[in-house]
Amino acid sequence: MSGDILLCDLDAFFASVEQLDHPEYRGKPVLVGGRPGERGVVATCSYEARKHGVRSAMPMVQAVKLCPDAVFLPVNMDRYRQVSAQVFAVYERFAAQIEKVSIDEAYLAVPSGVGVETARKIREAVRQELDLPVSVGISTNKLLAKMACELAKPDGLYRVAKEDMPKIIWPLPVSKIHGIGPQTKEKLNRIGVKTIGQLAKLPEGELIKMFGVAAGVLLHQRANGNDTREIQVEREIKSIGEEITFPKDVYDKDAVLITLMDLSGQVGYRLRHKGLKARTVTVKIRFGDFSTITRSQSLHDAVEGDGTIYRVVRELFIANCGQPPWRLVGVQVSNLDSYEQLSLFQERDEQVSRVVDKLKDKYGMGVIKRGSLLLSEERKKKQ
Amino acid sequence: MRVVAAKEQLLNAVQIVQRAVSVRNPLPILSGIRFEAVENKIFLTATDLDMGIRCSFAAEVIEPGAAVLPAKYVSELVRRLPDVPVLLSAEPINGSVTIQYGQSETSINGYPAEEFPDFPIPSGDLTFDLPVEVLKGIVKQVVFAAANNENRPVFNGVLFELHDGSLQVIATDTYRLAWRRLPLENCEKIDINIIIPGKTLIELVKIIEPEKIVNITVTENQILFRADDTCLISRLIDGQFPNYKQVIPQTHLTKVRLKTKELAEATERASLLTKDGSPIVKMSLEQNTLIVSVNTEVGRVHEEIPVFQEGEPFEVAFNARYLGDVLKAMGSEEIIMELTGPLSPGVLRPVDDQEYLSLLLPVRLRGV
């Protein structure tokens, strides 16, 4: 692994989302977790609450004592997942290799040397588009990126180069190394090893005697800033799809086609953001009686433009739509090509779609729409 | 219609015109072949409305007339006939045709002959000749680069640009481009710029016998190829072919000379380990060695090819299939490859032929 590694961690994620959704909570201590009266624990607390000594995983009862004026909120996981997906969509624009660690934490691999610049762009994009704070640690491996991220918090970025180890990392307590729990820490403290620097200087053999071969070698490596773990990209994407169940069964074929145009655009947007092209387009149709069909078409050339996808979708729907009413329709693309074949004369539809993507990225998804979509929305409003 | 024909000639004509029959045409009659007996000849015609083929041969016409028979059945039957004279008799009332051979006969139900679309042979002054071997060369070296894509029809065609007695033929699917220039005698006054469907040229060279001269006539929207008793008419593709001259690089940073076969074989082996969705081979050049490599879940390939290098080292990735196609079309033992960067078109040309080249667009790999 020769590139830069970023660890992006959303600050006090659940609390930040609540403060985003409820501006009146901003600037106040916010505790998300189990109810104060019950046996719950703190899932996340805002930085305002941390000032009072509240920590994640602390029993709520104790948190209430420390910070009685805080806003106490239940965990709204659906909402956090939704926001998390939006954040990851931003990450995907900046890095091809992403390892999702948790709902609010991810490692990103980027080419060597562009780590800091990418981190700045990501922080800016997440702040501008989603109004959320994200801290980014930058280094050349996962271990150092994670430590850099600790130093970046809250709402900052920090880069640790291997050479900076003695100055920045070595004075830190051993417990800052990911994987050193209370027991290991206790054992090390007992022999007088408190800081990472002291641990780094300990002979490997000593550590092996204390912790066994595997753990000993690892501790030695970690304390010296070595980490060869690679980014574990989630399983390869096999398909991208969007579907919608109509609020009421639809009898109007044109209305369905407009919905399919919208779905094609959403699928196209995601496809292009992943830098992929598709060679198969599938349409899913569920009728009023719940019977469901899917029909696919494979294409000679891989496609990525909204218009091209919709053209195939439209043909498939018209050929297979049967009798109304329709209850659900979906668009899916598969057989994905994971590279970009450069072209001498780019297709207009692709050019247009890419410009539209840029506008959406910058100003939000609603900033530009196809004329027929706008017309149908106008009509709905009048009704 | 009543006509006696030799089996071999009949079979040959059926097989030629059958190439214009389209299986999935919405017009049922177009799945048929039209037979017409006139004076001492029989004419066979088929068309899918984009392309039509007519083929004639001498036969003993007893009673002139016409009939249309489904191509599928008539071709399968004629192929299996004994080698004897065959008598075709049409029943004008129901359009069926009785085919008699020796003591036996088969009757096939046809379509009403008068409903078959007209097949006027275009005429005009814009006409020139090309040996079929030249056309075959064009198909081999240029047509492979044409697209097969309904969205952008001009790329399904081959640009024929005839000017000052020099013919330039270009095809591109936008991922690669092939260009061939050849001098044409007696054509100094002809000026044409037309897009011929790639499919037309592919079919054309299959139906013309070797060593024939093909006479070509161009009209506003059609092209006619004629050799002896066979003619093929095709619609021209309407539209503007992009400015190909603009995209052919005039300079380069690196030039390598290598043996075509070595690169072709290395590419083929390397592409064995590529995945369907990503047929990518990487190439890098250093110190007179071209390294072709592939690294996938299946395994890895590392091939080294000695080359003559002029200029800087480079790294580039290509679609293995496109690269293979381009190499196959080179028709030269040694080639020159010129590159200007990992995202610019590579130029490949035969060492001793300035009149032919292919462009190949690289692949941009995702991630680091």
Side-chain angles (χ1 to χ4, degrees), chain A residues 96-97 110-111 236 274-276 279 300-301 308 311 337-347, chain B residues 148-149 151-152 174-175 242 247 275-280 319 322 343 361-364 366-368:
Chain A
Q97 284 181 286
V110 298
E236 214 177 317
K274 298 199 186 299
L276 300 170
R279 279 179 291 128
H300 183 270
D301 284 330
T308 324
R311 195 154 37 220
D337 283 350
S338 63
Y339 60 93
E340 186 187 357
Q341 169 65 57
L342 301 176
S343 165
L344 283 168
F345 313 100
Q346 208 183 22
E347 197 159 353
Chain B
N148 186 1
N149 179 337
N151 296 330
R152 295 200 286 177
T174 80
Y175 308 133
V247 298
K275 291 184 295 176
D276 282 350
S278 165
I280 312 297
N319 179 316
Y322 294 161
L343 302 180
L361 270 283
V363 163
R364 191 205 311 258
R366 284 174 73 208
V368 284

Side-chain angles (χ1 to χ4, degrees), chain A residues 250-269:
Chain A
V250 174
Y251 289 82
D252 177 4
K253 197 184 273 186
D254 289 336
V256 178
L257 284 173
I258 283 174
T259 304
L260 285 170
M261 180 189 282
D262 192 19
L263 294 173
S264 302
Q266 292 175 30
V267 167
Y269 177 80

Side-chain angles (χ1 to χ4, degrees), chain B residues 134 188 329:
Chain B
V134 169
E188 287 72 18

Side-chain angles (χ1 to χ4, degrees), chain A residues 58-190:
Chain A
M58 179 182 275
M60 250 327 163
V61 187
Q62 192 185 344
V64 174
K65 276 180 201 152
L66 286 169
C67 194
D69 299 333
V71 182
F72 294 92
L73 296 167
V75 177
N76 182 0
M77 207 40 128
D78 280 347
R79 174 64 185 148
Y80 309 147
R81 265 198 212 106
Q82 193 184 8
V83 178
S84 170
Q86 291 170 345
V87 174
F88 275 81
V90 173
Y91 295 164
E92 281 172 14
R93 302 208 307 257
F94 296 97
Q97 284 181 286
I98 298 174
E99 175 180 340
K100 186 172 181 169
V101 182
S102 68
I103 191 166
D104 56 1
E105 200 178 322
Y107 286 107
L108 278 59
V110 298
S112 181
V114 306
V116 173
E117 188 195 337
T118 310
R120 196 174 300 129
K121 283 187 193 156
I122 287 175
R123 280 175 37 77
E124 199 179 292
V126 174
R127 174 56 86 182
Q128 263 191 5
E129 292 167 38
L130 305 165
D131 202 8
L132 286 171
V134 56
S135 295
V136 185
I138 307 132
S139 190
T140 48
N141 64 36
K142 280 183 170 181
L143 170 83
L144 293 178
K146 172 97 187 164
M147 290 186 158
C149 189
E150 288 297 319
L151 297 164
K153 281 179 189 177
D155 198 11
L157 67 85
Y158 202 94
R159 176 171 172 273
V160 174
K162 192 83 186 294
E163 309 85 78
D164 302 336
M165 279 283 298
K167 204 171 74 208
I168 300 170
I169 304 293
W170 281 2
L172 298 176
V174 285
S175 56
K176 288 282 177 192
I177 291 183
H178 194 61
I180 296 194
Q183 283 194 358
T184 312
K185 180 189 157 192
E186 191 54 40
K187 256 181 161 174
L188 288 169
N189 286 354
R190 243 181 280 150

Side-chain angles (χ1 to χ4, degrees), chain A residues 196-230:
Chain A
I196 298 175
Q198 289 169 319
L199 179 61
K201 284 177 195 129
L202 219 58
E204 194 180 49
E206 196 95 350
L207 286 167
I208 291 175
K209 258 184 248 156
M210 283 175 73
F211 299 101
V213 177
V217 170
L218 268 186
L219 275 177
H220 185 74
Q221 292 292 323
R222 296 287 183 268
N224 283 287
N226 297 325
D227 183 3
T228 56
R229 288 175 298 161
E230 296 215 2

Side-chain angles (χ1 to χ4, degrees), chain B residues 211-363:
Chain B
E211 288 169 31
K212 295 278 184 205
I213 301 292
V214 181
N215 175 254
I216 300 171
T217 304
V218 179
T219 71
E220 199 183 329
N221 51 16
Q222 283 190 313
I223 186 164
L224 164 69
F225 301 90
R226 195 203 294 260
D228 293 344
D229 295 325
T230 302
C231 55
L232 184 152
I233 300 168
S234 166
R235 217 177 247 185
L236 292 172
I237 294 177
D238 196 23
Q240 183 68 42
F241 202 85
N243 187 348
Y244 66 90
K245 289 181 187 122
Q246 225 168 39
V247 298
I248 300 178
Q250 299 302 320
T251 56
H252 59 264
L253 290 176
T254 313
K255 181 171 168 178
V256 294
R257 182 174 158 170
L258 55 92
K259 292 222 160 62
T260 320
K261 201 175 160 213
E262 290 185 343
L263 180 55
E265 289 178 354
T267 305
E268 240 174 75
R269 281 189 292 267
S271 61
L272 288 177
L273 299 196
T274 62
K275 291 184 295 176
D276 282 350
S278 165
I280 312 297
V281 291
K282 282 189 210 164
M283 262 191 212
S284 61
L285 175 74
E286 245 175 85
Q287 297 172 339
N288 289 314
T289 303
L290 184 69
I291 295 165
V292 178
S293 65
V294 157
N295 201 341
T296 66
E297 294 141 32
V298 186
R300 59 180 205 93
V301 183
H302 175 101
E303 299 247 356
E304 295 195 1
I305 301 168
V307 300
F308 294 103
Q309 173 185 348
E310 268 175 44
E312 301 169 19
F314 65 73
E315 265 186 58
V316 66
F318 288 118
N319 179 316
R321 189 161 55 85
Y322 294 161
L323 176 62
D325 287 351
V326 164
L327 292 172
K328 228 177 274 171
M330 280 290 137
S332 165
E333 248 180 62
E334 278 189 280
I335 56 163
I336 288 175
M337 184 159 71
E338 294 166 353
L339 285 148
T340 35
L343 302 180
S344 315
V347 181
L348 290 89
R349 61 169 111 236
V351 162
D352 43 15
D353 186 355
Q354 293 297 307
E355 304 297 293
Y356 176 64
L357 65 79
S358 272
L359 293 194
L360 185 59
L361 270 283
V363 163

